[in-house]
Amino acid sequence: MPTTQLPNTASLRPDFIWGVSTSSFQIEGATQEDGRGLSVWDVHCQTGEIKNHDTGDVACDHYHRYREDVGLMKTLGVQAYRFSIAWPRVLPSGSGSANEAGLSFYDRLIDELLAAGIEPWLCLYHWDLPQALEDRGGWLNRESATWFAGYASLIAARFGDRVKRFATLNEPSMFSLFSRSLGTRDGSSEDKLHRMIHHVNLAHGAAVDVLRANVIGASIGCIHNRQPCRPSSASEADAAAAARLDVYWNEAFPEPQYRGDYPPSMRAAIEPHMRPGDLARICRPLDWFGLNHYSPVYVKARADSLLGYDFGDKPANVALTPIGWPIEPDAFSRTLQDVHARYGLPIYVLENGYGDSGQPDQTGAVIDPGRIEFLKAYISAMNEAASKGVDVRGYFVWSLLDNFEWDSGYSIRFGLTYVDYASLQRTPKSSFGWYAGLIKAMQR
Ligand code: FCB
């Protein structure tokens, strides 16, 4: 491959880690097998609200095809793989007795990764809360921190001999702001949101302590979705709505976790849910900042909605991906600089990627130049941030495979690998070959 097609990586560290990310509910399938309990997402899929009435029942069938998927990673040449454990697969009721069959699936996966020379990065929670815990109030129940610590201790005891990289939560701001547990957006939902934010933060802190105490050499962080929230017009109301959302989206979790307090503008709202000592319970020493970044968010004011905002028009001059997400690599570089300035820890980019609905051509090949251009531009932007002193140490593409994209079901594809959901056959896209070429070039 001509090197002109590769991004500028001159400022990245020699030991920079290249990886791919996935999550349990989005790829595993086998939702009713080997004693797995229900998750909130299984139940949500039954409401019929997911595009095309898709469910996670089969997904990519990774539960049965994990060997083939690790083989794909080996071909890619990635040094690391970020995945999540399905909490209800290992603790069907969320707490109490563990499910040996579920645990042994992850044993097999981890062993396969290690045998392939790929470092497992284990995320405890990527949104598939056990429904049994939701029935007990879920994250609105302060007990959730204790449940989560219990789950973390099971994972630490079982996998801590082989896994050293742990993330507590994936994108707490996303699963809180868009949680169905807040109910209809009535007058009480903002109070519920504040309660949930605080409990999720407590759960994070409790899990960090458990991992630190039980895994020798653990390297721990939390994964935050960080995208600048910008007003979609010049109006003052839109500017105020964007500024308010920015605090919830980008600061409500990292500020207490990494710097010990809530942003001043939301502190009074959190106060009723706090007990003495809580901030110290949340702010535990961490090793790195996990960053998921896609694109800026454009916001308009909307009085009758949670936090008074809605998504607004994107600027006419901004290029969009096929699923309508802005392509703004400069915002990625600035976000990296901002995270570095604020938190000072090593940064791992644990998600970045491009969604489309690309299909195979007549020859069966999946040619996706848009994804290659996107990744190239974003990796160059990351390199630019590194050239300005940002301590960025790894980059993980979302995602290894096309998968279940939440409310969009299987209609949106983020994979480097195409998945034919009828046959479950995997076909590496042209971006897969491109990413493999980049990783190879970096190792020379
Ligand atoms: C992130 C999620 C991930 C995936 C990508 C496209 O917000 O963490 O599961 O859906 O977006």
Side-chain angles (χ1 to χ4, degrees):
M1 153 160 347
T3 41
T4 50
Q5 287 186 7
L6 294 178
N8 182 357
T9 50
S11 297
L12 301 181
R13 299 160 59 99
D15 60 351
F16 194 84
I17 295 176
W18 298 96
V20 280
S21 291
T22 66
S23 89
S24 47
F25 191 77
Q26 294 179 276
I27 64 167
E28 284 181 4
T31 53
Q32 322 222 348
E33 257 179 80
D34 293 341
R36 176 185 178 279
L38 281 182
S39 76
V40 291
W41 271 92
D42 296 292
V43 173
H44 180 52
C45 288
Q46 288 158 19
T47 62
E49 285 167 34
I50 310 286
K51 182 126 187 201
N52 301 321
H53 296 273
D54 288 338
T55 73
D57 289 354
V58 178
C60 306
D61 196 33
H62 172 76
Y63 188 74
H64 299 113
R65 294 165 198 256
Y66 69 92
R67 278 204 181 88
E68 181 181 352
D69 295 338
V70 174
L72 286 167
M73 292 178 227
K74 213 174 163 180
T75 308
L76 258 182
V78 289
Q79 291 109 338
Y81 171 53
R82 171 195 155 207
F83 66 103
S84 73
I85 302 262
W87 184 350
R89 196 182 286 290
V90 297
L91 282 168
S93 310
S95 58
S97 342
N99 176 31
E100 177 54 35
L103 288 166
S104 62
F105 164 66
Y106 296 107
D107 273 334
R108 295 194 295 280
L109 171 64
I110 289 164
D111 291 345
E112 191 77 15
L113 288 164
L114 293 173
I118 298 165
E119 187 183 26
W121 284 55
L122 189 159
C123 175
L124 288 174
Y125 185 74
H126 200 126
W127 310 355
D128 40 2
L129 187 74
Q131 180 62 34
L133 297 182
E134 181 69 8
D135 295 342
R136 292 161 70 189
W139 296 112
L140 291 172
N141 185 338
R142 191 177 159 109
E143 279 291 291
S144 52
T146 311
W147 304 330
F148 194 59
Y151 163 52
S153 112
L154 173 73
I155 298 303
R158 179 72 173 225
F159 306 118
D161 57 338
R162 288 156 290 161
V163 178
K164 300 297 172 191
R165 300 283 197 167
F166 289 94
T168 52
L169 305 163
N170 176 68
E171 301 187 353
S173 62
M174 295 299 97
F175 73 78
S176 305
L177 278 171
F178 303 115
S179 172
R180 281 166 198 92
S181 323
L182 303 180
T184 49
R185 305 298 194 207
D186 60 17
S188 71
S189 42
E190 281 193 14
D191 182 60
K192 287 191 193 144
L193 174 65
H194 292 115
R195 195 178 345 150
M196 181 178 290
I197 288 172
H198 189 56
H199 294 167
V200 169
N201 276 324
L202 285 170
H204 157 83
V208 173
D209 284 350
V210 163
L211 293 166
R212 197 72 80 193
N214 294 290
V215 179
I216 298 164
S219 170
I220 308 169
C222 188
I223 307 170
H224 295 291
N225 179 302
R226 199 175 184 91
Q227 339 284 332
C229 297
R230 298 177 176 163
S232 62
S233 80
S235 86
E236 264 178 43
D238 289 355
R244 185 161 190 225
L245 179 63
D246 197 74
V247 171
Y248 283 81
W249 192 301
N250 294 314
E251 296 182 13
F253 296 92
E255 286 296 300
Q257 292 177 4
Y258 288 84
R259 298 201 331 159
D261 205 351
Y262 285 97
S265 64
M266 66 188 294
R267 195 145 197 307
I270 298 281
E271 204 82 53
H273 310 292
M274 281 222 263
R275 294 190 191 159
D278 275 4
L279 288 172
R281 286 186 189 102
I282 294 169
C283 186
R284 313 305 298 151
L286 293 167
D287 301 298
W288 43 267
F289 188 103
L291 172 68
N292 291 355
H293 179 92
Y294 291 87
S295 54
V297 175
Y298 291 91
V299 177
K300 66 179 179 195
R302 195 183 129 192
D304 64 341
S305 69
L306 182 76
L307 300 179
Y309 80 94
D310 202 348
F311 296 111
D313 293 334
K314 292 144 198 159
N317 59 346
V318 165
L320 303 177
T321 68
I323 61 164
W325 292 12
I327 303 177
E328 299 188 59
D330 285 356
F332 182 37
S333 173
R334 276 201 300 278
T335 299
L336 283 159
Q337 293 171 58
D338 179 38
V339 171
H340 175 72
R342 217 176 244 259
Y343 302 109
L345 287 176
I347 303 170
Y348 291 95
V349 177
L350 292 174
E351 280 186 34
N352 177 236
Y354 174 96
D356 63 14
S357 52
Q359 295 292 325
D361 64 17
Q362 309 84 320
T363 69
V366 186
I367 309 296
D368 56 344
R371 179 169 287 102
I372 295 175
E373 282 310 311
F374 179 96
L375 296 176
K376 188 175 149 192
Y378 274 70
I379 291 168
S380 295
M382 174 173 68
N383 180 69
E384 187 208 65
S387 76
K388 294 185 171 155
V390 173
D391 184 8
V392 55
R393 300 193 181 183
Y395 176 91
F396 292 56
V397 173
W398 183 271
S399 180
L400 171 68
L401 302 168
D402 291 340
N403 61 46
F404 177 83
E405 181 48 33
W406 309 115
D407 282 355
S408 306
Y410 299 102
S411 65
I412 288 180
R413 295 172 176 273
F414 270 93
L416 296 171
T417 309
Y418 178 85
V419 176
D420 174 344
Y421 293 109
S423 66
L424 294 165
Q425 196 188 322
R426 278 94 162 116
T427 305
K429 303 179 187 178
S430 48
S431 56
F432 182 108
W434 176 85
Y435 193 46
L438 167 67
I439 297 172
K440 208 166 179 190
M442 291 293 295
Q443 279 157 353
R444 263 188 223 124

